[in-house]
Amino acid sequence: MLEVRDLAIARGGIAVLERLSFRVGPGQALVLRGPNGCGKTTLLRTLSGLQPPLDGQVTLAADSLAYASHADGLKPTLSVTENLMFWAAVFGTGRAAVETATDRMNLRPLAARAAQNLSAGQKRRLGLARMMLTGRPVWALDEPTVSLDAASVALFAAMVRAHLENGGAAVIATHIDLGLAEAEILDLAPFKARPPSQGGSKGAFDEAFA
Amino acid sequence: MLALLTRDLRLAVRAGGGFGLGLGFFLILCVLVPLGVGPEGGRLASIAPGILWVGAMLACLLSLDRIFALDWEDGSLDLLATAPLPLEGAVAMKALAHWIVTGLPLVIAAPVLGVLLHLPVAAQPWLVVSLLLGTPALSVIGAFGAALTVGLRRGGLLLSLLVLPLYVPTLIFGAEIVRRGAEGMALATPLLLLTGVSLGSVALLPLAAAAALRINLR
């Protein structure tokens, strides 16, 4: 469903990862590991098409990837249901999907509350519930479990597992163990970009001076 | 796309949404100008078209940076850019929401405030017509400027510098329509030019703004 070949990516004009290849098929999850600043977020943004790769190829069916960033994209003055209804309308999934997502992430008791009055963990749950409204097969999740408690992490893992069982796929950048036994783990450290003097990819910054 | 429009309108009327900001500014300006210039009707009448149009333009400028900045801060701009909605359409909808929240109330309030400035009765309908034709251009040009400066901390100054020169034709033709209307002169030329500015902006600038957003989101 998602294939990456020989990918090189840059953040702020400086190459961070190179020679990266992997493939994620239906029902598979890929967990990205690596130290801070190694390019996990940049990789996910490249996969979702928000920024172009330096080199290499990302093969992905059009409109098949849903991206969840660090920020949840919630509107503070809208209620939980209104926030979800907006994204359901954008992705064309409708009311029933909102109801399911509300129940699955245990947001029912908060449904009428404005997003500005939610706790950090509750906001995160609302942000993750949005993924179920996208109806897209490939999920790219950036640190999805930040500020979630153990019970919510379990809810999230169950949500991802259900998505995988329906033939979906997920790429997840995270530092904690999600309890997803089927997930494959990819350590990004070996793919760290070498300096251009040692044959590494040139960032846009280097090109400007070449 | 309608969902985005209704969401933006709903956000605008909720607490802290900025609805009425432009209108309030316009109101204050039109109340204060007669106090500053003096009550002499003839002098007020001659400057009224210019004051009303400059006021409308500055009122629009006041809320421009909110068009994309809020969505950028909370991350929904990233999510919108990856949503099935074309970004050009999203820009057009956000500009339309800005016009409904800022431009439309100005069009409606302008005749009342025109009376405060001794605007001749003959010019009243032309004031409404010129604002109705011109304010959409102000919103779309503003959305383009906001897209260029999204992500910059305190980008408001740069936004004003970028947008004000682009506002000049709209301002000149808009005020000219009202002035000629007041004096009973022929006004086909400024009317056509203002319409042309508006239509051209509405047709082209959403594309430019979407391209600017894509670059700024990288």
Side-chain angles (χ1 to χ4, degrees):
Chain A
M1 296 178 95
L2 166 66
E3 193 182 348
V4 165
R5 203 157 352 113
D6 220 13
L7 190 70
I9 54 175
R11 184 183 56 236
I14 295 167
V16 285
L17 289 173
E18 61 180 5
R19 293 166 295 137
L20 182 64
S21 299
F22 61 82
R23 171 199 282 272
V24 186
Q28 286 183 332
L30 184 72
V31 172
L32 303 175
R33 288 275 159 82
N36 289 148
C38 75
K40 298 187 290 293
T41 298
T42 314
L43 174 58
L44 292 177
R45 289 180 71 86
T46 309
L47 294 182
S48 58
L50 283 170
Q51 63 175 73
L54 269 184
D55 198 10
Q57 272 186 320
V58 176
T59 316
L60 184 71
D63 281 345
S64 67
L65 186 133
Y67 171 61
S69 58
H70 286 286
D72 292 313
L74 304 176
K75 287 296 165 191
T77 48
L78 296 185
S79 74
V80 168
T81 310
E82 283 170 335
N83 267 300
L84 289 176
M85 283 301 285
F86 167 66
W87 289 111
V90 166
F91 284 94
T93 40
R95 176 111 223 164
V98 172
E99 300 294 327
T100 328
T102 310
D103 286 331
R104 290 287 280 286
M105 285 316 274
N106 196 16
L107 291 164
R108 180 68 61 197
L110 307 168
R113 206 181 284 186
Q116 60 192 349
N117 299 329
L118 299 181
S119 79
Q122 288 167 338
K123 277 183 193 154
R124 192 80 249 209
R125 250 156 55 204
L126 176 52
L128 292 172
R130 186 187 66 85
M131 297 305 283
M132 277 185 267
L133 306 174
T134 59
R136 290 189 168 178
V138 185
W139 288 359
L141 299 152
D142 197 354
E143 303 280 7
T145 55
V146 171
S147 66
L148 289 184
D149 58 16
S152 303
V153 171
L155 275 180
F156 166 68
M159 173 182 113
V160 173
R161 192 167 292 129
H163 176 64
L164 298 180
E165 276 162 12
N166 286 332
V171 182
I172 308 170
T174 183
H175 294 288
I176 70 154
D177 186 17
L178 293 172
L180 283 170
E182 61 272 44
E184 219 179 298
I185 291 179
L186 177 70
D187 188 3
L188 291 178
F191 302 102
K192 190 173 173 355
R194 295 159 297 171
S197 55
Q198 293 169 28
S201 302
K202 283 185 176 177
F205 186 75
D206 303 309
E207 272 166 19
F209 291 95
Chain B
M1 295 222 275
L2 270 183
L4 183 61
L5 180 65
T6 48
R7 182 194 74 152
D8 272 14
L9 293 179
R10 192 179 281 163
L11 285 172
V13 295
R14 296 240 166 126
F19 181 78
L21 181 72
L23 188 60
F25 175 83
F26 196 47
L27 191 82
I28 291 168
L29 183 85
C30 293
V31 170
L32 291 185
V33 163
L35 296 177
V37 174
E40 194 196 317
R43 194 192 297 163
L44 271 177
S46 65
I47 60 168
I51 295 290
L52 284 164
W53 255 94
V54 169
M57 193 187 87
L58 293 178
C60 265
L61 193 66
L62 211 55
S63 51
L64 282 185
D65 60 336
R66 299 176 64 95
I67 297 183
F68 295 114
L70 296 179
D71 276 348
W72 185 78
E73 276 165 21
D74 65 19
S76 35
L77 202 55
D78 279 350
L79 305 179
L80 274 177
T82 52
L85 203 67
L87 203 50
E88 289 79 5
V91 170
M93 282 300 128
K94 291 191 81 74
L96 178 60
H98 179 265
W99 181 73
I100 293 174
V101 170
T102 313
L104 196 57
L106 295 186
V107 176
I108 295 165
V112 181
L113 298 173
V115 173
L116 276 180
L117 294 172
H118 287 262
L119 189 72
V121 179
Q124 292 283 8
W126 296 114
L127 175 64
V128 176
V129 168
S130 69
L131 283 175
L132 203 58
L133 287 174
T135 44
L138 298 183
S139 285
V140 179
I141 294 172
F144 171 59
L148 280 175
T149 54
V150 74
L152 295 179
R153 299 267 162 229
R154 297 275 169 272
L157 174 66
L158 184 58
L159 174 61
S160 313
L161 286 175
L162 284 171
V163 159
L164 280 177
L166 299 175
Y167 273 2
V168 168
T170 319
L171 173 69
I172 291 174
F173 297 131
E176 184 68 7
I177 291 172
V178 185
R179 195 183 63 80
R180 290 193 178 197
E183 292 169 10
M185 292 152 66
L187 27 69
T189 314
L191 210 53
L192 286 176
L193 283 169
L194 184 66
T195 314
V197 169
S198 270
L199 290 179
S201 314
V202 170
L204 296 176
L205 286 181
L207 304 175
L213 278 182
R214 284 201 186 92
I215 291 169
N216 274 331
L217 285 178
R218 275 183 194 174

